[in-house]
Amino acid sequence: MTYRLAIRAGKMKENPARLVQHKTENNSRVRFLSFEEESKLRKVIREQSPEYAPQFDLGLHSGLRPGE
């Protein structure tokens, strides 16, 4: 929207970000944790490294992928 407003105001001619090529994602496999798998993993995290529990929750509930 910033570039669109700048173009309307005559400050820019075009959006330079449109030239960036998009990466294609491999979405061929969708995998979800079962309730049992989530419980076991949560237990291990609590026992071995409780400081990572917030990151686990974020990844679990936001659809975060391993490469992100």
Side-chain angles (χ1 to χ4, degrees):
M1 175 138 185
T2 303
Y3 284 113
R4 199 174 339 140
L5 293 173
I7 291 168
R8 284 185 196 163
K11 303 283 184 181
M12 295 193 74
K13 292 183 180 180
E14 61 184 28
N15 181 352
R18 70 176 179 78
L19 302 174
V20 176
Q21 291 185 355
H22 296 275
K23 286 186 175 181
T24 56
E25 291 186 23
N26 182 2
N27 293 324
S28 61
R29 182 176 178 186
V30 177
R31 170 90 165 72
F32 298 96
L33 290 175
S34 69
F35 181 73
E36 292 82 22
E37 290 172 325
E38 179 186 342
S39 297
K40 287 178 185 178
L41 189 55
R42 192 175 297 280
K43 181 181 176 187
V44 170
I45 289 173
R46 267 195 235 123
E47 291 172 357
Q48 294 183 3
S49 43
E51 67 273 11
Y52 290 115
Q55 287 95 329
F56 175 72
D57 287 332
L58 175 69
L60 185 66
H61 297 294
S62 66
L64 195 64
R65 295 180 177 168
E68 295 177 322

